[in-house]
């Protein structure tokens, strides 16, 4: 004789577990859909708010105009560094002119530096480097 009572309880236990898992997956899916919906709504409301805060495009009379003297031209000049201030002690950056940056001034010679004839033109370029 086969004990069928044990098999029936096993089948019922498996059935209840499957229903519980299915219910948990269903609830998890519903929560996920709600969270995604809330995120999409928040993005839509935020983008509308940003668009409302944008300034209007400038009218034609508010557009930039060319200066009366014509277009501003580029100025080319040779610059050289300012002299370092002499001191008995070491200067810190905040004690220097230019907030710690080395200042420059217009150079005494305005000729563009050219390569010396016969030089290589750059370090390691293979030229002889001397005349």
């Amino acid at each position: 004789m086969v004990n069928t009572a044990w098999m029936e309880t096993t089948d019922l236990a498996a059935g209840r577990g499957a229903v519980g898992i299915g219910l948990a997956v269903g609830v998890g899916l519903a929560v996920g859909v709600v969270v995604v919906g809330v995120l999409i709504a928040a993005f839509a409301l935020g983008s509308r708010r940003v668009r409302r805060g944008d300034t209007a495009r400038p009218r034609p009379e508010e557009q930039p105009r060319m200066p009366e003297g014509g277009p501003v031209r580029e100025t080319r000049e040779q610059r050289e560094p300012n002299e370092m201030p002499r001191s008995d002690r070491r200067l810190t950056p905040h004690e220097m002119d230019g907030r710690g940056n080395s200042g420059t001034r217009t150079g005494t010679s305005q000729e563009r530096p050219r390569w010396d004839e016969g030089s290589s033109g750059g370090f390691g370029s293979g030229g002889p480097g001397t005349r």
Side-chain angles (χ1 to χ4, degrees), residues 5 11 19 51 65 70 77 99 105:
D11 291 340
V19 169
R51 255 188 270 138
R65 302 278 180 224
E77 64 181 359
R99 297 182 182 93
R105 63 178 187 272

mmCIF file of all heavy atoms in Angstrom, residues 5 11 19 51 65 70 77 99 105:
data_model
loop_
_atom_site.group_PDB
_atom_site.id
_atom_site.type_symbol
_atom_site.label_atom_id
_atom_site.label_comp_id
_atom_site.label_asym_id
_atom_site.label_seq_id
_atom_site.Cartn_x
_atom_site.Cartn_y
_atom_site.Cartn_z
ATOM 1 N N ALA A 5 -1.120 10.205 1.413
ATOM 2 C CA ALA A 5 -1.294 11.417 2.214
ATOM 3 C C ALA A 5 -0.030 12.279 2.160
ATOM 4 O O ALA A 5 -0.098 13.507 2.088
ATOM 5 C CB ALA A 5 -1.638 11.046 3.649
ATOM 6 N N ASP A 11 2.340 18.137 -2.725
ATOM 7 C CA ASP A 11 1.793 18.883 -3.857
ATOM 8 C C ASP A 11 1.189 20.198 -3.400
ATOM 9 O O ASP A 11 1.335 21.227 -4.062
ATOM 10 C CB ASP A 11 0.745 18.043 -4.584
ATOM 11 C CG ASP A 11 1.344 16.856 -5.321
ATOM 12 O OD1 ASP A 11 2.570 16.923 -5.582
ATOM 13 O OD2 ASP A 11 0.617 15.914 -5.617
ATOM 14 N N VAL A 19 2.401 30.025 -5.852
ATOM 15 C CA VAL A 19 1.479 31.158 -5.809
ATOM 16 C C VAL A 19 2.147 32.333 -5.091
ATOM 17 O O VAL A 19 2.043 33.480 -5.521
ATOM 18 C CB VAL A 19 0.157 30.754 -5.104
ATOM 19 C CG1 VAL A 19 -0.701 31.980 -4.819
ATOM 20 C CG2 VAL A 19 -0.605 29.767 -5.945
ATOM 21 N N ARG A 51 11.950 75.154 -19.267
ATOM 22 C CA ARG A 51 11.588 75.896 -20.487
ATOM 23 C C ARG A 51 10.898 77.210 -20.149
ATOM 24 O O ARG A 51 11.100 78.222 -20.822
ATOM 25 C CB ARG A 51 10.676 75.048 -21.359
ATOM 26 C CG ARG A 51 11.398 74.484 -22.551
ATOM 27 C CD ARG A 51 10.472 73.808 -23.513
ATOM 28 N NE ARG A 51 10.389 72.411 -23.113
ATOM 29 C CZ ARG A 51 9.287 71.693 -23.083
ATOM 30 N NH1 ARG A 51 8.150 72.207 -23.435
ATOM 31 N NH2 ARG A 51 9.292 70.444 -22.695
ATOM 32 N N ARG A 65 26.034 95.017 -31.924
ATOM 33 C CA ARG A 65 26.382 95.859 -33.077
ATOM 34 C C ARG A 65 27.896 95.956 -33.215
ATOM 35 O O ARG A 65 28.625 95.853 -32.227
ATOM 36 C CB ARG A 65 25.821 97.271 -32.911
ATOM 37 C CG ARG A 65 24.321 97.321 -32.726
ATOM 38 C CD ARG A 65 23.632 97.247 -34.063
ATOM 39 N NE ARG A 65 22.190 97.299 -33.859
ATOM 40 C CZ ARG A 65 21.338 96.514 -34.474
ATOM 41 N NH1 ARG A 65 21.784 95.615 -35.316
ATOM 42 N NH2 ARG A 65 20.064 96.617 -34.255
ATOM 43 N N GLY A 70 34.830 100.149 -36.590
ATOM 44 C CA GLY A 70 34.984 98.948 -37.400
ATOM 45 C C GLY A 70 35.325 97.755 -36.526
ATOM 46 O O GLY A 70 35.335 97.842 -35.300
ATOM 47 N N GLU A 77 52.464 91.477 -31.065
ATOM 48 C CA GLU A 77 53.659 92.103 -30.544
ATOM 49 C C GLU A 77 54.473 91.066 -29.793
ATOM 50 O O GLU A 77 53.940 90.068 -29.319
ATOM 51 C CB GLU A 77 53.328 93.272 -29.622
ATOM 52 C CG GLU A 77 52.581 92.891 -28.369
ATOM 53 C CD GLU A 77 52.248 94.081 -27.500
ATOM 54 O OE1 GLU A 77 52.599 95.211 -27.848
ATOM 55 O OE2 GLU A 77 51.634 93.873 -26.451
ATOM 56 N N ARG A 99 49.050 88.445 -9.247
ATOM 57 C CA ARG A 99 48.492 87.364 -8.432
ATOM 58 C C ARG A 99 49.281 86.068 -8.558
ATOM 59 O O ARG A 99 48.720 84.992 -8.729
ATOM 60 C CB ARG A 99 47.033 87.123 -8.794
ATOM 61 C CG ARG A 99 46.157 88.318 -8.497
ATOM 62 C CD ARG A 99 44.712 88.015 -8.824
ATOM 63 N NE ARG A 99 43.889 89.159 -8.587
ATOM 64 C CZ ARG A 99 43.588 90.049 -9.520
ATOM 65 N NH1 ARG A 99 44.048 89.922 -10.730
ATOM 66 N NH2 ARG A 99 42.809 91.065 -9.230
ATOM 67 N N ARG A 105 55.574 92.473 -20.493
ATOM 68 C CA ARG A 105 55.517 93.836 -21.041
ATOM 69 C C ARG A 105 55.912 93.760 -22.506
ATOM 70 O O ARG A 105 56.408 92.737 -22.973
ATOM 71 C CB ARG A 105 56.452 94.758 -20.263
ATOM 72 C CG ARG A 105 57.919 94.372 -20.371
ATOM 73 C CD ARG A 105 58.805 95.355 -19.606
ATOM 74 N NE ARG A 105 60.201 95.082 -19.845
ATOM 75 C CZ ARG A 105 60.948 94.247 -19.150
ATOM 76 N NH1 ARG A 105 60.396 93.579 -18.145
ATOM 77 N NH2 ARG A 105 62.207 94.054 -19.441
#
